[in-house]
Amino acid sequence: MPYIKVSDLEDVKQLSKNLRKKDLDEIKANSNTNPYHALYTGVKFSHLPLTVMNDDRVVMIMGVIPQGKNLGMIWLLSSPEIKNISIAFLRNCKGVLDLYHKSFPVLYNYIDARNTVHLNWLKWLGFNFIKEHEKFGYEKRKFIEFVKCATQ
């Protein structure tokens, strides 16, 4: 049964060894860092980093890195096991998004244009795609900037 908890470094260690290929590709394209460093940095600098567990396995870690008083950079990295909990994930992700919006009325980030599953998920969540960056990050690949403002 999946559940959510506050992230810790053991979660980072476990997930860094079992990320989805698309997430690994995006980390490399964006910053060319290793998975552990990407997750460690995300958890360290995030406001309320959260881990989704399924039994004793880390399925995903997410968070929002403050970029100012009302602006946060939202992120999420997952294991292939997300497919096993997709219905529970989809039922609960809007509630988690609402939780993050209470602290950060504006959430944004950049996504690798090759990650079509995540692009469709962001669209479903109500994010707007505001700009295409043709040569973004370490690999100078196409990334898409997205944003969502909290509803009042």
Side-chain angles (χ1 to χ4, degrees):
M1 186 70 163
Y3 63 94
I4 297 175
K5 69 180 197 77
V6 175
S7 302
D8 60 37
L9 292 183
E10 193 57 40
D11 301 336
V12 167
K13 185 176 176 183
Q14 188 181 139
L15 185 58
S16 70
K17 298 174 185 174
N18 191 31
L19 282 174
R20 290 174 59 245
K21 173 139 178 32
K22 291 286 187 183
D23 287 352
L24 289 169
D25 292 345
E26 187 166 310
I27 291 168
K28 185 174 188 303
N30 185 15
S31 62
N32 196 35
T33 189
N34 67 60
Y36 181 86
H37 184 264
L39 285 160
Y40 174 82
T41 302
V43 168
K44 180 179 179 180
F45 292 106
S46 283
H47 164 81
L48 191 61
L50 297 173
T51 296
V52 174
M53 302 287 296
N54 192 22
D55 298 320
D56 61 346
R57 295 176 310 280
V58 176
V59 177
M60 70 185 72
I61 301 176
M62 67 195 101
V64 176
I65 299 172
Q67 304 290 298
K69 183 178 177 186
N70 295 313
L71 180 65
M73 181 181 283
I74 193 164
W75 63 275
L76 182 149
L77 294 168
S78 67
S79 77
E81 190 168 343
I82 191 168
K83 291 179 181 179
N84 299 334
I85 65 160
S86 59
I87 293 172
F89 171 69
L90 291 172
R91 283 185 182 147
N92 291 288
C93 61
K94 286 187 178 182
V96 172
L97 185 61
D98 289 344
L99 176 69
Y100 283 139
H101 265 300
K102 287 181 181 177
S103 298
F104 302 97
V106 180
L107 297 170
Y108 84 102
N109 206 334
Y110 305 82
I111 184 169
D112 189 328
R114 300 172 295 173
N115 199 340
T116 56
V117 170
H118 281 181
L119 283 166
N120 289 332
W121 171 65
L122 289 168
K123 186 176 181 180
W124 178 77
L125 282 171
F127 281 90
N128 295 299
F129 302 108
I130 59 171
K131 186 173 182 184
E132 292 183 0
H133 300 267
E134 294 298 328
K135 295 186 178 193
F136 187 89
Y138 175 79
E139 289 184 349
K140 306 295 184 218
R141 290 195 177 268
K142 182 178 177 181
F143 273 65
I144 301 169
E145 189 172 358
F146 60 90
V147 66
K148 185 170 187 339
C149 299
T151 54
Q152 303 279 324

